[in-house]
Amino acid sequence: MRINAFSDVCLRVVMLLAASPEGALMTSRAISEAIATPYNHVSKAVLRLRELGLVEVARGRAGGVRISAEGRLASIGWLLRRLDTRLDLAACETPDGPCPLLDGCGVRGALRRAREAFYSELDGVVIAAQPHSQPATRVFY
C-alpha cells in the first residue's frame, strides 16, 4: 500500500507541529523549510488539516499554525482515511468500457479489504507520539 504525496505532506506537517513546544505557532513558510516541501503544497495541506480540525490557524503578523488538541490525539489511520479520495484502488475499466471480468472478479473487494487492513493497522499509531529527531527529506524535487 502506498500513500499519495499530499497525504505524505499532511503527515509531515502535523508531525512537525506535534513536535513543536505546546502552543507554539509556526508559519507555513517555516514548516515548508523544515519539511523540505514547496510552500504552496504546505499551504494546501494546512488548509485541509484545518478543515479536519487537526490544526489551528492564527492570522496576522504574529500568526501561524499549531496543532490542536484533536491533532494530538489523532491516529495516522484516521487521517489517511480522510485524505484518501479514491473510491477504488483498481479502475476496473478498459478503453472500451467496464472490464469484461468485472462480474466474476474478486480483486476489487480484496483490494478494498486490504486498504482497510492497512488503515486499521495505523489506527493504533498516534501521530503526536511519533519520534521527531530525524530531519525530513524532500517530498517533491
Side-chain angles (χ1 to χ4, degrees):
M1 190 77 205
R2 185 168 204 186
I3 64 172
N4 63 32
F6 181 71
S7 296
D8 188 15
V9 172
C10 287
L11 273 173
R12 289 169 187 250
V13 168
V14 77
M15 287 175 66
L16 176 68
L17 293 173
S20 300
E22 185 93 23
L25 291 168
M26 288 187 76
T27 65
S28 293
R29 229 19 91 227
I31 294 169
S32 170
E33 291 172 13
I35 65 171
T37 303
Y39 171 78
N40 60 328
H41 296 291
V42 169
S43 295
K44 290 176 185 175
V46 166
L47 179 64
R48 182 68 177 122
L49 292 168
R50 181 179 179 212
E51 290 170 355
L52 293 171
L54 299 181
V55 300
E56 299 169 347
V57 177
R59 295 185 180 263
R61 187 173 179 181
V65 182
R66 72 177 142 241
I67 192 164
S68 68
E70 294 85 5
R72 291 201 176 279
L73 300 175
S75 75
I76 292 176
W78 180 90
L79 177 58
L80 290 179
R81 275 188 192 88
R82 276 131 193 99
L83 295 174
D84 191 353
T85 58
R86 299 169 295 177
L87 297 176
D88 282 311
L89 294 176
C92 299
E93 293 184 17
T94 69
D96 299 324
C99 175
L101 303 173
L102 192 59
D103 289 339
C105 181
V107 173
R108 198 177 211 176
L111 288 172
R112 202 173 303 122
R113 290 188 303 276
R115 177 173 50 184
E116 184 51 37
F118 175 75
Y119 293 147
S120 292
E121 185 65 29
L122 294 170
D123 281 338
V125 182
V126 176
I127 297 166
Q130 297 313 300
H132 306 288
S133 60
Q134 296 295 322
T137 57
R138 196 171 287 279
V139 177
F140 297 94
Y141 297 95

